[in-house]
Amino acid sequence: MFRYVLQRSLTYLVMVFITTTMGYFAAVVTLKPALAEQEKVPRPSPEQVNRNFAALGLDPEMSPWDRYVQWLTNVVTKFDWGRSPDGGYVNQEFGDRVWVSARLMLAATILTIVIGVALGVYSAARQYKFADRVLTGYSYLVYIIPAPVAYFVIQMGAIEINDAAGEKIFYVTGISTPGVTGFWDTLIDGAAHYFVPTFCMTILGWAGYQIAQRQYLLDNVNADFVRTARAKGLTRNQAITRHALRVSFIPVAQSIAYQIPYIFAGAFFAESVFAWPGIGKWSIEAITHQDVNGATATLAYGSVLFAIGAIIADIATTVVDPRVRIS
């Protein structure tokens, strides 16, 4: 098991390196912070711009390959991801935001998987009954609703609840209230800010898991091995839980690798609507501000997330599928 995971991890590490390298060259070629700098008023001279950017390690006079070698050397030897055109350190700016997004994404990812799979099993066990039709209909409805629109509607709903209660129960912007001190007060304030965006990402994210788990489970409910288990004395629900669910969960586990980057992409909208200073907003701002190093760092972060999700999917597959463990 350990050897298998190690081999897969090395494969994904190479993938992350290749993706990040390609992203860096694409950013160097397409993003031109020097040109944007020369549009400021008063307009600096090209010599001043080149001199300032050279001091930041963003010398536009260097070839893309020389800049890449310089950047990669700093990343490998110092874990220094460079500077932004405004002079900020990418490490510091990334570090300040990564934990904001990580805690939002972690809760949403866990809740999305657990709730989606559980509801998929629940609806499959009640095929074509009222609960199944409601849950599956909701899941298909989610696919046609743009995420920003849904976030905005839920945000307005939280505001209406606050107005009806006459006090601020839910916070719909920001990650904390300035001036709040004390452990319990800080904890309660953080939960109030945390609830609405996490709720949004979860109820919009579980639909894919619910539909997939329901379909895969229904494909195995009437399989020979399930009928054999029932013939040996198990009830229908016991046969589904112990046998059909185990087999049907294999493709769902494999899809985890593709859902984690999807949730990361969804954070773009959540962070923008709810004003969370996370990686999602910062990555968009990095591209807007022609920040080569910042854009590359967010690409590497997304690649690492995909790799982690793929490794989790591989581990889950080996746990639920004996054939993988044997091979």
Side-chain angles (χ1 to χ4, degrees), residues 46-69:
E47 293 75 17
Q48 289 177 319
V49 173
N50 291 342
R51 185 167 55 251
N52 293 337
F53 277 12
L56 299 175
L58 303 171
D59 190 354
E61 298 296 322
M62 294 178 63
S63 68
W65 173 255
D66 291 337
R67 288 182 60 178
Y68 171 74
V69 171

Side-chain angles (χ1 to χ4, degrees), residues 4 11 13 81 131-132 137 142 207 310:
Y4 171 75
T11 300
L13 180 62
W81 288 77
D132 175 38
V142 166

Side-chain angles (χ1 to χ4, degrees), residues 56-235:
L56 299 175
L58 303 171
D59 190 354
E61 298 296 322
M62 294 178 63
S63 68
W65 173 255
D66 291 337
R67 288 182 60 178
Y68 171 74
V69 171
Q70 175 182 294
W71 171 83
L72 183 62
T73 301
N74 290 333
V75 171
V76 173
T77 60
K78 308 175 184 177
F79 200 71
D80 181 4
W81 288 77
R83 305 279 291 274
S84 297
D86 61 1
Y89 290 90
V90 172
N91 284 28
Q92 181 64 42
E93 296 178 2
F94 183 88
D96 291 342
R97 293 166 174 81
V98 67
W99 297 115
V100 174
S101 292
R103 65 185 185 184
L104 180 63
M105 290 166 51
L106 180 62
T109 303
I110 294 174
L111 291 173
T112 294
I113 295 173
V114 172
I115 295 176
V117 171
L119 291 179
V121 175
Y122 179 84
S123 59
R126 293 158 179 80
Q127 185 181 15
Y128 300 138
K129 294 183 179 179
F130 178 75
D132 175 38
R133 294 183 184 277
V134 170
L135 288 173
T136 306
Y138 164 81
S139 296
Y140 281 114
L141 178 64
V142 166
Y143 280 119
I144 64 175
I145 300 178
V149 175
Y151 292 159
F152 180 74
V153 170
I154 295 173
Q155 186 182 56
M156 293 299 100
I159 293 175
E160 291 294 332
I161 293 175
N162 290 341
D163 293 340
E167 59 180 327
K168 187 172 287 187
I169 301 174
F170 301 114
Y171 289 82
V172 296
T173 57
I175 62 175
S176 63
T177 302
V180 175
T181 58
F183 176 78
W184 290 111
D185 290 340
T186 302
L187 184 64
I188 294 173
D189 179 71
H193 284 84
Y194 195 59
F195 178 81
V196 176
T198 304
F199 175 78
C200 288
M201 296 180 68
T202 301
I203 66 171
L204 295 178
W206 82 47
Y209 282 109
Q210 189 269 327
I211 293 175
Q213 185 62 77
R214 175 185 181 274
Q215 185 60 49
Y216 291 131
L217 187 54
L218 288 176
D219 290 341
N220 291 283
V221 164
N222 297 317
D224 292 340
F225 65 90
V226 177
R227 288 199 296 266
T228 301
R230 294 193 64 185
K232 290 182 178 180
L234 294 182
T235 64

Side-chain angles (χ1 to χ4, degrees), residues 235-289:
T235 64
R236 183 174 185 272
N237 288 337
Q238 288 175 333
I240 290 175
T241 304
R242 298 181 186 180
H243 299 283
L245 177 59
R246 189 183 186 94
V247 174
S248 64
F249 183 67
I250 294 173
V252 176
Q254 293 170 340
S255 70
I256 293 175
Y258 304 98
Q259 290 295 324
I260 289 181
Y262 170 79
I263 293 175
F264 168 73
F268 288 113
F269 300 117
E271 291 170 8
S272 298
V273 172
F274 297 104
W276 277 51
I279 291 297
K281 286 187 62 179
W282 183 61
S283 60
I284 295 176
E285 293 171 355
I287 297 175
T288 303
H289 298 155

